Amino acid sequence: MDTELSIGAVAERSGVATSALRFYEDRGLIHSHRNSSGHRRYRRSVLRRVAFIRFAQQMGLTLTEIRGLVDELPDNRVPDAEDWARVSAAWTPLLDAHIERLQRLRDRLTSCIGCGCLSMQHCGVLNPGDELAQHGPGPRLVIDG
Amino acid sequence: MDTELSIGAVAERSGVATSALRFYEDRGLIHSHRNSSGHRRYRRSVLRRVAFIRFAQQMGLTLTEIRGLVDELPDNRVPDAEDWARVSAAWTPLLDAHIERLQRLRDRLTSCIGCGCLSMQHCGVLNPGDELAQHGPGPRLVIDG
DNA sequence: CTAAGAGTTCAAGTGCACTTGAAGTCAAGG
DNA sequence: CCTTGACTTCAAGTGCACTTGAACTCTTAG
């Protein structure tokens, strides 16, 4: 019995649309090979990979950034728990920093927006570098530093 | 001496491009009136308003959501500290929920992606509702629940 | 008088992360 | 043989948050 998955099966099991899966493949985030009739076949390990992608997206990473992370996974063999742990460890600090940043922002919220100091020149909440202004057009994600 | 600001002055003081300010105005997030030559004039209070918008954006709110928040501010008079405190209080729970969600995700990261349970069917990290799939197209922000 | 610099409007373009639609292939079932 | 369903590619569309460009006005300085 073949243990490989069709794109429809991956979509169903992962909750990610087939169009998104093709898009991820196009972007090099996941890989597949083709069966005799030209249909994509996925290893079961793609499920964990897709899970990781969605997870990282929820953390605010772009697909480009995520690609940088999953590229660290082995290509020649099915990644094991250790591989995943390594990749996860690589970006956990990023996640930590993100949470800390949000907490700092929240902590200053009452004491800052609530009062009158939110004049951006002196207030620490907004302007540590005015990072948002540095980025290009398009919607900005929560993570940016 | 007039205490009102031109769009250029607001841009400089807030770090937000003039094009973005016009865009915000178009979306009803900020307001201005015109001087004799048709140029926008802003009250100084617009600076705090813009600050709030950027702040809320960094929390992951869309401009539409932010509009809902700033609409609570008084239109007939310059908002005072109490007005801002009220608006801030209104969405602080949202921010808290966001931070908590991230923390839950982080806490499960090692014990979940690191091991082998990330199969999406049973893992609590990803699928509590599969919220992302509910949304329309376009990039997804970090906040979504 | 002319040029610079700041402002104006409106339409179109950008980047991300997809989705949707059109047109086609392929295998299985009635 | 025909339909159904799952798949294929490729181009174009979508939503957000803007930016950019073209064509224009208005004020001030030289």
Side-chain angles (χ1 to χ4, degrees), chain A residues 106, chain B residues 95-105:
Chain A
R106 180 190 52 185
Chain B
L95 172 52
D96 285 346
H98 181 41
I99 292 177
E100 268 170 47
R101 182 149 174 276
L102 287 184
Q103 280 170 332
R104 273 201 313 278
L105 285 166

Side-chain angles (χ1 to χ4, degrees), chain B residues 2-3 9 16-18 20 27 29 33 63 95 100 111 123 128:
Chain B
D2 85 309
T3 166
V16 174
T18 58
R27 288 284 184 283
L29 287 154
H33 58 99
L63 291 188
L95 172 52
E100 268 170 47
S111 65
C123 177

Side-chain angles (χ1 to χ4, degrees), chain A residues 57-71:
Chain A
Q57 272 191 301
Q58 288 182 57
M59 303 287 82
L61 301 194
T62 64
L63 291 187
T64 309
E65 290 169 322
I66 295 169
R67 192 191 161 162
L69 288 169
V70 295
D71 272 356

Side-chain angles (χ1 to χ4, degrees), chain B residues 51-68:
Chain B
F52 182 84
I53 292 165
R54 290 307 227 188
F55 190 103
Q57 273 191 302
Q58 288 182 58
M59 303 287 86
L61 301 195
T62 64
L63 291 188
T64 309
E65 290 169 323
I66 296 170
R67 193 189 163 165

Side-chain angles (χ1 to χ4, degrees), chain B residues 81-141:
Chain B
E82 211 173 307
D83 293 318
W84 281 111
R86 191 165 35 76
V87 170
S88 304
W91 64 292
T92 302
L94 225 149
L95 172 52
D96 285 346
H98 181 41
I99 292 177
E100 268 170 47
R101 182 149 174 276
L102 287 184
Q103 280 170 332
R104 273 201 313 278
L105 285 166
R106 180 189 53 185
D107 293 346
R108 293 195 192 178
L109 178 62
T110 325
S111 65
C112 198
I113 288 195
C115 75
C117 83
L118 201 67
S119 59
M120 296 171 105
Q121 305 291 294
H122 321 91
C123 177
V125 168
L126 275 127
N127 264 341
D130 196 33
E131 303 149 29
L132 282 174
Q134 313 307 318
H135 297 342
R140 280 76 183 273
L141 293 167

Side-chain angles (χ1 to χ4, degrees), chain A residues 17 19-20 23-24 37 54 57 62-63 137-139:
Chain A
S19 58
F23 181 75
Y24 291 163
S37 45
R54 289 307 226 188
Q57 272 191 301
T62 64
L63 291 187

